[in-house]
Amino acid sequence: MEFKRSIVITGGAGFIGSHVVRLFVNKYPEYKIINLDKLTYAGNLANLKDIESAPNYRFVKMDICDFEAFYQLMQDEHIDGIIHLAAESHVDRSIKDPFTFARTNVMGTLSLLQAAKLYWESLPERYEGKRFYHISTDEVYGALELTHPEGKANDFSAHEVYGDDFFVETTKYNPHSPYSASKASSDHFVRAFHDTYGMPTVVTNCSNNYGPYQFPEKLIPLFINNIRHRKPLPVYGKGENVRDWLYVEDHARAIDLIFHEGKVAETYNIGGFNEWKNIDIIKVVINTVDRLLGRKEGEDMDLITYVTDRAGHDLRYAIDSRKLKAELGWEPCLQFEEGIEKTVKWYLENQEWMDNITSGEYEKYYEEMYADR
Ligand code: NAD
Ligand code: TYD
């Protein structure tokens, strides 16, 4: 079958990538969607069981650092679009092992860019109809102060109440963790490929995602699983750090829109004005898990265990996504209450998925991770 487009999605077996792959495979049968993933500890093909035999889907196990292999794939599949999500993504791991983050996030991104450049520049039409879309994070902007007293602003008019205390697209980069430093560096390379070679790039910086298929090292799935098994909930510091939470399918919809309609060389911030102090969101998660398991709401609050803070722990992230709303009409579809209910239900109903991930190496990793806390 002739496909209208041939698109590589890197990191498609991970949390956000699997939602993006699913959306594209189902919505665009006329596109060939190639999921390129190394299948690290965070990659899991079980995340894509429902679409794995779709005629427009192909999985390729590959390391994004393998320049030769990726250049060959570009030629074999006539790739005209790249949506790049593959990365090492967990701040705590980056503190223990920064080299892996520089290798994958910086060198891996550069390798994709260089292979895409060589292939696209070899074609008669060169960059026409091509796109390199790099998925980044709000963490590259650094940290904000806790300026609103209740630590929470949650609608698109928040700036009218709280002023300009949000990350905008022009906020100066100021990364603090090895993770955010590696993502910042990769963002710079992507922009450099536009400015130097004219590659049609676009970059988005999104806030914290939550939803099904997230690896249980991140706050929400880790805590849902621990509450279920009545294990301690390790809250870093005083639990006062603020994160801005977006349901993963809303992020995937934004990626679809920006891949097709975003302006070349632009940056768009993606977020739903949904800030929560960690301790407050943890209480919502405890109440929801308890209720859905038929326990008394709040009976597991005593699992909360304050532990040594994360080194260099960014105090607050908050995205201003008014540009994306004004220029492309994107807004989140899901209210947080609905999103968290759906998410908790999904993890409770998919215990087998969780058990498969949390067996073996996982236990060992967590013993080491928390040994010094
Ligand atoms: P994840 O850790 O769940 O998935 C990462 C995927 O990349 C995995 O499937 C893994 O196997 C793959 N991968 C890792 N190294 C690779 C390599 N060298 N070659 C090929 N594949 C490799 O991550 P996620 O949470 O889905 O994040 C995806 C992207 O979105 C990342 O770039 C991350 O920086 C960005 N992001 C994440 C969030 C969030 O809240 N999770 C927020 C904003 C931006
Ligand atoms: P995380 O899900 O790791 O995302 P990020 O660090 O990219 O924001 O953590 C979200 C917040 O929750 C962050 O402030 C750290 C905190 N946290 C804990 O308090 N305990 C935990 O066990 C984890 C994983 C995170």
Side-chain angles (χ1 to χ4, degrees), residues 204-315:
T204 55
N205 298 78
C206 188
S207 60
N208 283 61
N209 284 215
Y210 71 98
Y213 301 110
Q214 188 168 30
F215 192 85
E217 64 186 347
K218 307 279 168 63
L219 181 76
I220 291 183
L222 175 72
F223 278 30
I224 293 172
N225 198 40
N226 283 11
I227 298 163
R228 184 189 183 118
H229 296 292
R230 294 217 155 100
K231 288 188 180 164
L233 307 175
V235 180
Y236 300 166
K238 294 187 177 141
E240 281 178 352
N241 302 65
V242 170
R243 295 293 181 265
D244 184 357
W245 294 93
L246 182 69
Y247 191 68
V248 62
E249 286 179 4
D250 279 325
H251 188 189
R253 277 193 311 106
I255 290 173
D256 175 20
L257 184 66
I258 293 161
F259 178 75
H260 288 97
E261 292 175 33
K263 280 199 214 113
V264 166
E266 285 290 327
T267 296
Y268 299 91
N269 279 355
I270 309 174
F273 288 102
N274 180 40
E275 288 180 60
W276 286 81
K277 268 192 186 162
N278 288 344
I279 194 65
D280 293 338
I281 207 169
I282 288 164
K283 287 178 182 166
V284 172
V285 172
I286 294 173
N287 283 332
T288 312
V289 175
D290 281 347
R291 180 166 43 75
L292 291 175
L293 285 178
R295 299 176 186 169
K296 191 163 158 278
E297 241 181 68
E299 86 172 70
D300 285 312
M301 289 293 171
D302 59 357
L303 295 175
I304 291 176
T305 309
Y306 292 95
V307 299
T308 310
D309 208 353
R310 172 186 278 172
H313 198 173
D314 286 333
L315 185 56

Side-chain angles (χ1 to χ4, degrees), residues 9-14 35-40 43 59-63:
I9 299 178
T10 71
N35 172 12
L36 185 162
D37 201 296
K38 183 183 174 183
L39 299 182
T40 67
F59 171 69
V60 176
K61 187 171 186 310
M62 192 185 288
D63 187 333

Side-chain angles (χ1 to χ4, degrees), residues 69-361:
F70 185 65
Y71 182 51
Q72 191 62 51
L73 183 77
M74 295 278 309
Q75 297 173 79
D76 294 346
E77 292 283 6
H78 308 289
I79 302 299
D80 57 26
I82 297 169
I83 304 178
H84 175 35
L85 296 108
E88 289 292 337
S89 68
H90 189 42
V91 175
D92 293 327
R93 284 182 190 256
S94 81
I95 294 168
K96 290 206 170 252
D97 175 21
F99 277 115
T100 305
F101 282 70
R103 180 188 177 275
T104 292
N105 299 357
V106 186
M107 290 305 290
T109 301
L110 179 56
S111 183
L112 297 178
L113 285 163
Q114 182 68 3
K117 170 184 177 289
L118 284 186
Y119 173 60
W120 288 339
E121 288 190 354
S122 74
L123 302 173
E125 77 278 13
R126 289 173 63 89
Y127 289 119
E128 211 186 303
K130 310 296 186 295
R131 173 147 296 207
F132 190 108
Y133 179 177
H134 177 63
I135 311 296
S136 192
T137 167
D138 58 358
E139 304 192 23
V140 298
Y141 296 125
L144 297 164
E145 292 300 317
L146 276 185
T147 46
H148 4 298
E150 69 278 37
K152 195 168 160 188
N154 46 15
D155 65 56
F156 272 74
S157 58
H159 61 283
E160 289 163 16
V161 185
Y162 299 113
D164 289 332
D165 194 29
F166 296 89
F167 296 136
V168 290
E169 287 78 358
T170 51
T171 300
K172 197 168 149 264
Y173 274 31
N174 186 20
H176 299 298
S177 73
Y179 164 64
S180 52
S182 67
K183 291 295 291 187
S185 172
S186 63
D187 296 6
H188 292 319
F189 271 108
V190 174
R191 294 193 179 103
F193 267 64
H194 170 267
D195 297 350
T196 309
Y197 308 112
M199 185 180 285
T201 59
V202 65
V203 176
T204 55
N205 298 78
C206 188
S207 60
N208 283 61
N209 284 215
Y210 71 98
Y213 301 110
Q214 188 168 30
F215 192 85
E217 64 186 347
K218 307 279 168 63
L219 181 76
I220 291 183
L222 175 72
F223 278 30
I224 293 172
N225 198 40
N226 283 11
I227 298 163
R228 184 189 183 118
H229 296 292
R230 294 217 155 100
K231 288 188 180 164
L233 307 175
V235 180
Y236 300 166
K238 294 187 177 141
E240 281 178 352
N241 302 65
V242 170
R243 295 293 181 265
D244 184 357
W245 294 93
L246 182 69
Y247 191 68
V248 62
E249 286 179 4
D250 279 325
H251 188 189
R253 277 193 311 106
I255 290 173
D256 175 20
L257 184 66
I258 293 161
F259 178 75
H260 288 97
E261 292 175 33
K263 280 199 214 113
V264 166
E266 285 290 327
T267 296
Y268 299 91
N269 279 355
I270 309 174
F273 288 102
N274 180 40
E275 288 180 60
W276 286 81
K277 268 192 186 162
N278 288 344
I279 194 65
D280 293 338
I281 207 169
I282 288 164
K283 287 178 182 166
V284 172
V285 172
I286 294 173
N287 283 332
T288 312
V289 175
D290 281 347
R291 180 166 43 75
L292 291 175
L293 285 178
R295 299 176 186 169
K296 191 163 158 278
E297 241 181 68
E299 86 172 70
D300 285 312
M301 289 293 171
D302 59 357
L303 295 175
I304 291 176
T305 309
Y306 292 95
V307 299
T308 310
D309 208 353
R310 172 186 278 172
H313 198 173
D314 286 333
L315 185 56
R316 171 175 166 248
Y317 302 142
I319 277 280
D320 181 341
S321 54
R322 281 178 295 156
K323 172 176 169 180
L324 182 56
K325 183 177 176 184
E327 292 189 10
L328 300 181
W330 176 90
E331 269 189 279
C333 284
L334 221 64
Q335 288 299 310
F336 182 70
E337 289 67 22
E338 210 184 319
I340 203 75
E341 181 88 9
K342 256 177 103 153
T343 302
V344 172
K345 250 195 195 136
W346 188 87
Y347 285 100
L348 296 181
E349 284 168 2
N350 288 274
Q351 192 57 39
E352 201 184 326
W353 179 91
M354 183 66 90
D355 290 344
N356 285 339
I357 286 180
T358 53
S359 57
E361 284 298 298

